[in-house]
Amino acid sequence: DNQTKLSQQQERALVSYINKLSQRGIPPTSKLTRNLAENIAKTTVGKNWLSRFIKRHHTELDSLYLTSFELSRKRADNYQHLSLYFDLVSQPIFVVSSLILI
């Protein structure tokens, strides 16, 4: 694929690094992954590069941020959802002190 900014070896190294970060509990975000790729390639990558990279390596990637988790978070992060959330948590909580479940 002559549109690829990284060689196959460079992409394998990037996948390995992403997986190491994920295993250590610090999975890289999309922005960090893009920055890593640009550092390796010594040039900028296109706006669709990351999605194509993920499609090429989806079976090898361990990072939740680069898969559905980030997409779900992005979809949930909107004004209406946040407004509803804060409306709900700001309402008084009624505690029934006589009810004890054993």
Side-chain angles (χ1 to χ4, degrees):
D1 183 64
N2 50 357
Q3 289 184 345
T4 304
K5 297 286 184 173
L6 301 171
S7 69
Q8 288 181 349
Q9 181 180 3
Q10 289 171 320
E11 285 200 0
R12 281 194 302 270
L14 181 56
V15 167
S16 176
Y17 188 67
I18 289 168
N19 289 340
K20 284 178 187 175
L21 289 173
S22 297
Q23 290 164 2
R24 292 181 181 152
I26 46 173
T29 62
S30 296
K31 186 171 186 163
L32 178 59
T33 303
R34 179 179 295 282
N35 289 342
L36 291 169
E38 289 177 347
N39 276 336
I40 292 169
K42 305 282 190 259
T43 186
T44 58
V45 296
K47 66 176 185 173
N48 297 318
W49 177 87
L50 185 60
S51 62
R52 290 192 315 267
F53 173 79
I54 292 169
K55 283 180 186 177
R56 284 192 299 276
H57 300 285
H58 73 279
T59 59
E60 305 162 69
L61 289 168
D62 294 337
S63 176
L64 290 177
Y65 280 107
L66 297 178
T67 56
S68 62
F69 178 73
E70 189 166 281
L71 181 59
S72 297
R73 185 181 64 185
K74 192 175 211 175
R75 285 182 183 150
D77 191 20
N78 69 48
Y79 176 79
Q80 291 156 333
H81 286 123
L82 292 173
S83 178
L84 176 61
Y85 170 78
F86 284 106
D87 287 346
L88 290 172
V89 296
S90 66
Q91 293 177 4
I93 299 174
F94 296 102
V95 179
V96 179
S97 59
S98 63
L99 179 63
I100 300 175
L101 298 175
I102 298 177

